[in-house]
């Protein structure tokens, strides 16, 4: 006859804390099979022990399990590899084992959709990466690839498990390899919630988006001590690789979050806009079409073509209310990228920002937008571009740092994108930047311009000074002549009609019509299918 098992919840009911239960069972000489399982589960939950959990909380950080609980739909987490242990026998580690080792892995749902998660546990050897830790991460990445669902990594680790040496480095490489194989197949999101240093930074770096928590997380290849030894610079961890540095200076982080809870909320919000994998489209939310005119758009762009305005006002009024999620907000502020919904459908937005550097394209703007365009293209998210660009930023700083090859990144990214692509020119579309910003010539599907748009090789004054130089110099009143020629050039070229006559612009529309035109056009493009020429892969100018 089989043994009667006592339900787990009854076995634990009399203990307030996991540690009390463990204490009790440790002193009990014989355990039933169910009690033994329960004990092991309780042990795994306690990870590195209550004092380390308390220390984690004291730093203002959550534990690996608490983070998972916040991230996933309630009760949806299924753990994989809960009893896995490290195998190191060196430096006394044969006497120190923790069930699950230093990472918690598994799957669950966010807004009802499957995701795979790993959450590094700082309470076990500082979340450091052992061979077993790496295997657990690789296992869920393999599952994610096979089953077509996103991978979310919650990073909080002291790096390679020092006691394991090269085995740990090998584990990292196994993860980097999978990150790369999975790139473009399933979305990969990384949240940095503690230390992330040395080569360990390269796994998040390969993933699609990095979110960092302010004041408690940092990323660097070499820490402050090494920096001091090598360059004699004194710098804190925060100033070297904190959230604010990476979200504004280096561009490594896409989102900077005030605390862990807001970081997890941002991850969940991001999930609303992205599909499960490269074969699917993002979720579609119910939307009832109504009066889609937005009259307020008519007054956003100032009459004076040189006066700045905030393109976010346009974006927010065109998108469904309160759906714009800006990415990379504090980096290369002259271009804006982010997700939003249009009539319930996810789109990626790329927009020049006239209120910062007049919306010029520069190296950082190009890198930022190119990576975003490629993410959207890889995951079937249609692209909407708002264009108001006076050209590329001139100067030695830009030229010497490679505006040529960096600017080409954005050009290349748009050229290769096969998702539905629409551009709205809100004011200036000058020079090479006109071509780059999703022009018809590089594969955009529909291009609109507002009536005040200026589509030209350059601004009227610059153009007049070059082509009428002799006439202006010879004139009795050069100032007057210049003005006359500027106006002549403006009449001829500083409008959207030359481009519209040639079909480069599909329609000149009133700003208030923009939303309804875009809803109709994206709907029309819904089944767009383009096959790229057969190749192994292109060679984007990296
Ligand atoms: C093993 C580690 C560890 C590691 C921390 N611990 N890092 N154990 N391997 N890499 C252990 C500590 O011994 C300690 O154990 C516990 O984790 C918490 O660490 P503390 O130092 O007490 O915490 P804190 O003061 O918050 O400092 C965290 C830290 C520091 C800044 C991360 O621990 C640290 O500098 N660790 C070493 C970082 C490092 O150099 N890693 C290797 C980088 S090279 P107890 O038992 O006391 O709780 C690398 C190469 C990767 O990662 C290459 C990939 C290609």
């Amino acid at each position: 006859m089989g043994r009667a098992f006592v339900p787990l919840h009854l076995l634990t009911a009399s203990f307030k804390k996991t540690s009390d239960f463990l204490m009790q069972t440790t002193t009990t000489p014989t355990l039933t099979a169910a009690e033994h399982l329960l004990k092991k589960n309780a042990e795994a939950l306690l990870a590195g022990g209550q004092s380390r959990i308390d220390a984690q909380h004291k730093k203002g950080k959550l534990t690996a399990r608490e983070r998972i609980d916040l991230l996933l739909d309630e009760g949806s987490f299924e753990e994989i590899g809960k009893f896995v242990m490290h195998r190191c026998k060196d430096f006394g580690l044969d006497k120190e084992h923790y069930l699950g080792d230093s990472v918690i892995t598994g799957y669950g749902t966010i807004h009802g959709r499957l995701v795979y998660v790993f959450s590094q546990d700082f309470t076990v050897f500082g979340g450091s990466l052992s061979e077993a830790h790496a295997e657990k991460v690789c296992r869920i990445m393999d599952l994610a690839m096979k089953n077509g669902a996103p991978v979310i990594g919650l990073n909080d680790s002291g790096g390679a498990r020092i006691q394991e040496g090269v085995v740990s480095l090998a584990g990292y490489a196994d993860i980097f390899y999978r990150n790369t194989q999975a790139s473009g197949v399933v979305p990969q999101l990384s949240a940095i919630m503690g230390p992330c240093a040395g080569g360990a930074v390269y796994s998040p770096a390969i993933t699609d988006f990095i979110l960092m928590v302010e004041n408690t997380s940092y990323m660097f290849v070499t820490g402050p001590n090494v920096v001091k030894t090598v360059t004699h610079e004194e710098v804190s961890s925060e100033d070297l690789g904190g959230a604010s540095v990476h979200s504004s200076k280096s561009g490594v982080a896409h989102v900077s979050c005030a605390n862990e809870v807001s970081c997890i909320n941002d991850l969940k919000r991001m999930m609303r806009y992205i599909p499960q994998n490269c074969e699917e489209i993002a979720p579609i939310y119910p939307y009832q079409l109504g009066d889609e005119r937005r009259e307020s758009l008519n007054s956003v762009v100032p009459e004076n073509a040189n006066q700045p305005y905030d393109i976010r006002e346009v974006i927010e009024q065109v998108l469904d209310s309160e759906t714009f999620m800006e990415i990379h907000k504090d980096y290369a502020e002259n271009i804006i990228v982010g997700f939003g919904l249009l009539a319930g459908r996810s789109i990626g937005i790329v927009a020049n920002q006239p209120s910062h550097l007049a919306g010029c394209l520069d190296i950082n703007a190009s890198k930022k937008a190119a990576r975003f365009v490629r993410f959207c293209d890889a995951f079937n998210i249609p692209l909407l571009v708002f264009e108001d660009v006076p050209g590329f930023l001139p100067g030695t700083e830009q030229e010497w740092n490679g505006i040529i090859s960096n600017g080409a990144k954005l050009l290349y990214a748009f050229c290769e994108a096969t998702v539905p692509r629409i551009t709205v020119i809100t004011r200036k579309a000058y020079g090479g930047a006109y071509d780059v910003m999703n022009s018809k010539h590089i594969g955009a599907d529909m291009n609109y311009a507002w009536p005040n748009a200026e589509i030209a090789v350059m601004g009227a004054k610059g153009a007049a000074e070059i082509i009428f130089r002799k006439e202006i110099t010879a004139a009795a009143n050069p100032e007057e002549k210049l003005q006359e020629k500027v106006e002549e050039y403006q009449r001829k070229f500083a409008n959207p009609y030359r481009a519209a006559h040639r079909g480069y612009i599909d329609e000149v529309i009133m700003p208030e019509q923009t939303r309804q035109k875009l809803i109709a056009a994206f709907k029309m493009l819904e089944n767009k299918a383009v096959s790229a020429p057969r190749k192994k892969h292109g060679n984007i100018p990296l």
Side-chain angles (χ1 to χ4, degrees):
M1 210 171 89
R3 281 180 63 178
F5 286 98
V6 182
L8 292 182
H9 68 278
L10 292 182
L11 271 173
T12 42
S14 52
F15 300 100
K16 276 204 201 81
K17 279 167 61 179
T18 312
S19 49
D20 296 342
F21 173 74
L22 280 174
M23 184 71 78
Q24 171 75 24
T25 50
T26 310
T27 51
T28 312
T30 49
L31 295 177
T32 65
E35 283 167 342
H36 192 62
L37 170 62
L38 200 60
K39 180 172 182 246
K40 279 202 166 288
N41 274 323
E43 217 178 296
L45 290 188
L46 209 55
Q50 195 58 49
S51 62
R52 289 193 182 100
I53 292 175
D54 294 342
Q56 178 84 344
H57 287 156
K58 235 184 186 159
K59 287 182 201 158
K61 291 162 72 181
L62 297 170
T63 65
R65 283 184 191 280
E66 287 164 347
R67 289 167 181 160
I68 290 179
D69 282 349
L70 277 178
L71 179 68
L72 300 182
D73 296 339
E74 201 178 336
S76 72
F77 182 54
E78 295 292 340
E79 191 165 348
I80 298 175
K82 198 178 196 177
F83 298 155
V84 166
M85 295 192 299
H86 75 76
R87 302 160 200 135
C88 181
K89 293 188 171 32
D90 297 310
F91 305 106
L93 283 204
D94 50 337
K95 294 182 197 69
E96 197 174 352
H97 283 101
Y98 301 92
L99 292 178
D101 203 35
S102 50
V103 67
I104 293 155
T105 52
Y107 62 95
T109 59
I110 294 180
H111 316 308
R113 294 159 62 211
L114 175 67
V115 292
Y116 292 87
V117 186
F118 69 86
S119 181
Q120 294 180 317
D121 189 342
F122 194 82
T123 71
V124 176
F125 301 114
S128 56
L129 190 128
S130 63
E131 180 186 28
H133 176 136
E135 284 170 358
K136 286 180 74 176
V137 174
C138 289
R139 167 114 166 92
I140 64 138
M141 291 182 76
D142 291 343
L143 283 167
M145 288 275 279
K146 283 184 205 157
N147 295 289
V151 181
I152 300 180
L154 307 177
N155 296 264
D156 185 3
S157 165
R161 175 83 46 90
I162 295 168
Q163 296 89 331
E164 293 202 10
V166 70
V167 175
S168 168
L169 300 186
Y172 270 120
D174 288 337
I175 295 172
F176 302 155
Y177 179 75
R178 280 168 178 77
N179 284 135
T180 307
Q181 296 302 308
S183 180
V185 180
V186 293
Q188 299 179 80
L189 312 181
S190 300
I192 314 298
M193 307 182 120
C196 183
V201 296
Y202 288 110
S203 170
I206 302 172
T207 65
D208 297 302
F209 294 106
I210 296 179
L211 294 83
M212 287 185 78
V213 179
E214 286 158 24
N215 302 315
T216 50
S217 77
Y218 52 81
M219 296 177 82
F220 36 65
V221 173
T222 50
N225 292 340
V226 177
V227 169
K228 191 173 173 201
T229 313
V230 178
T231 70
H232 308 295
E233 263 177 293
E234 290 219 29
V235 64
S236 67
S237 292
E238 186 64 23
D239 288 345
L240 185 63
S244 127
V245 164
H246 283 313
S247 56
S248 62
K249 283 192 200 315
S250 72
V252 165
H254 299 88
V255 184
S256 172
C257 313
N259 53 53
E260 293 195 17
V261 175
S262 79
C263 180
I264 286 170
N265 286 340
D266 281 344
L267 283 170
K268 292 206 270 199
R269 186 163 179 225
M270 202 179 269
M271 282 295 300
R272 290 198 175 276
Y273 302 100
I274 63 181
Q276 292 296 90
N277 56 61
C278 64
E279 306 289 347
E280 295 187 17
I281 59 167
I284 300 173
Y285 302 93
Y287 184 81
Q288 190 67 42
L289 280 179
D291 179 5
E292 306 300 343
R293 269 177 313 132
R294 295 289 180 268
E295 280 169 29
S296 48
L297 281 171
N298 294 337
S299 53
V300 176
V301 178
E303 286 202 1
N304 176 350
N306 294 323
Q307 205 174 311
Y309 64 97
D310 188 349
I311 196 73
R312 286 188 193 91
E313 279 187 49
V314 175
I315 297 170
E316 277 161 11
Q317 290 180 59
V318 166
L319 293 179
D320 299 352
S321 168
E322 294 186 15
T323 62
F324 183 47
M325 179 176 191
E326 192 172 343
I327 307 289
H328 245 159
K329 195 167 176 220
D330 303 318
Y331 178 73
E333 291 170 76
N334 39 330
I335 204 154
I336 295 216
V337 302
F339 298 110
L341 297 183
L342 188 69
R345 287 171 177 262
S346 177
I347 55 170
I349 296 103
V350 178
N352 305 117
Q353 172 57 294
S355 70
H356 198 91
L357 288 177
C360 263
L361 286 179
D362 64 358
I363 292 171
N364 291 349
S366 175
K367 289 196 292 190
K368 163 176 165 177
R371 187 143 168 85
F372 185 74
V373 166
R374 297 192 99 217
F375 175 83
C376 291
D377 188 47
F379 292 106
N380 312 314
I381 300 171
L383 284 162
L384 169 60
V385 173
F386 289 107
E387 177 171 2
D388 187 347
V389 62
F392 282 94
L393 185 65
T396 48
E397 195 263 339
Q398 287 290 307
E399 296 292 350
W400 293 349
N401 286 301
I403 183 65
I404 296 173
S405 41
N406 285 293
K409 288 178 178 145
L410 183 55
L411 178 58
Y412 190 107
F414 273 128
C415 286
E416 73 172 351
T418 57
V419 286
R421 288 157 51 185
I422 301 181
T423 301
V424 178
I425 300 176
T426 58
R427 193 166 62 179
K428 295 174 191 163
Y430 288 171
Y434 157 74
D435 281 345
V436 171
M437 288 301 292
N438 202 36
S439 63
K440 284 286 275 293
H441 324 282
I442 63 168
D445 298 293
M446 292 294 287
N447 285 30
Y448 299 101
W450 287 0
N452 59 326
E454 300 176 14
I455 306 170
V457 172
M458 58 171 67
K461 185 161 180 284
E465 279 169 351
I466 295 170
I467 58 179
F468 302 115
R469 186 162 47 99
K470 282 190 192 134
E471 231 180 298
I472 293 166
T473 329
N477 186 338
E479 268 305 304
E480 215 169 78
K481 196 69 178 170
L482 171 66
Q483 194 49 36
E484 181 192 311
K485 290 296 176 190
V486 167
E487 280 163 23
E488 185 186 334
Y489 191 87
Q490 238 159 6
R491 266 194 311 278
K492 279 208 170 106
F493 293 105
N495 63 63
Y497 299 108
R498 288 255 163 170
H501 294 328
R502 288 190 174 261
Y504 301 161
I505 295 296
D506 293 293
E507 195 178 351
V508 180
I509 58 171
M510 286 301 291
E512 66 177 43
Q513 295 176 286
T514 309
R515 182 173 155 85
Q516 70 199 45
K517 291 283 176 188
L518 290 172
I519 292 173
F522 275 121
K523 177 91 186 132
M524 176 272 289
L525 293 167
E526 187 169 80
N527 296 319
K528 179 184 175 188
V530 175
S531 40
R534 206 188 75 77
K535 59 175 111 170
K536 193 169 173 197
H537 59 69
N539 191 11
I540 188 166
L542 294 173

